[in-house]
Amino acid sequence: DRLYALVDQTFTLHVHDQHGKKLYSIKRNEKKRPVTSNDKKKIIDFYKTNTLTTNDIRLLKPFHFPEYFPAIKNFTVSEDQIYVITYHEDDTGKFECLVMDLKGKEIKRTYIPVTDSELLQLSPFAVRNGSFHQLTEDEEEETWTLNITKVL
């Protein structure tokens, strides 16, 4: 019966009760990932090739990029644990996943395969029984695949 809300670009989650009253905040001092020139190129290429933005790309110029990505890419709460995915990647392209208890105490930090459906937006996912479940689409084959990665 709690609502966990991402507040801003920092690593801050606010926890509310079922009536919307703020109960407490979870704040961690995690390093944010810098936006690299390669990241900027990927983002610009996305806007140039995406059918929804191709015609409007001239309106987006000049592009302005932040120095850092937000601290949290996405998160979910499952079975009395918070699973936070950050923008930090390892050498194999897996993203950092931080598992915490409901008060923000770190339980585990690992890297998991994560797929974006659109630029910077995760494909549908859920966490159950300590495993990360994510659907990925093969657009050419017009099929979906369920990928399961053990986290805990």
Side-chain angles (χ1 to χ4, degrees):
D1 293 19
R2 302 279 188 261
L3 172 67
Y4 292 77
L6 182 58
V7 178
D8 54 25
Q9 303 289 307
T10 66
F11 200 115
T12 304
L13 299 172
H14 286 254
V15 182
H16 302 265
D17 69 12
Q18 67 269 27
H19 303 291
K21 179 183 174 193
K22 185 172 134 185
L23 302 174
Y24 59 93
S25 295
I26 297 170
K27 185 168 180 68
R28 295 178 58 93
N29 291 319
E30 298 286 334
K31 287 178 62 176
K32 293 197 267 184
R33 179 179 158 229
V35 176
T36 66
S37 58
N38 189 40
D39 294 322
K40 293 175 186 178
K41 182 182 178 332
K42 271 195 233 177
I43 292 167
I44 291 169
D45 287 347
F46 171 81
Y47 282 110
K48 285 181 178 177
T49 59
N50 183 290
T51 56
L52 298 176
T53 58
T54 302
N55 295 331
D56 299 324
I57 192 160
R58 68 188 184 296
L59 302 174
L60 300 173
K61 291 181 180 176
F63 286 96
H64 297 282
F65 294 94
E67 190 175 348
Y68 296 94
F69 283 101
I72 296 175
K73 183 176 179 83
N74 210 322
F75 78 97
T76 190
V77 179
S78 177
E79 299 156 343
D80 294 333
Q81 291 160 336
I82 305 168
Y83 293 79
V84 176
I85 299 168
T86 74
Y87 284 91
H88 292 284
E89 291 181 70
D90 68 8
D91 295 337
T92 66
K94 293 179 180 178
F95 284 86
E96 180 181 51
C97 179
L98 176 62
V99 184
M100 303 179 295
D101 68 15
L102 297 180
K103 296 292 185 179
K105 180 181 175 197
E106 185 173 327
I107 297 170
K108 184 176 183 179
R109 188 181 298 253
T110 188
Y111 286 83
I112 60 174
V114 173
T115 303
D116 289 344
S117 59
E118 291 286 338
L119 181 71
L120 307 177
Q121 295 180 357
L122 293 182
S123 292
F125 77 95
V127 175
R128 296 291 178 267
N129 299 319
S131 293
F132 180 80
H133 299 70
Q134 187 175 38
L135 286 172
T136 55
E137 182 180 16
D138 182 333
E139 291 180 11
E140 288 182 20
E141 295 291 324
E142 296 184 0
T143 59
W144 288 86
T145 303
L146 176 62
N147 302 297
I148 301 172
T149 304
K150 191 76 176 153
V151 178
L152 289 178

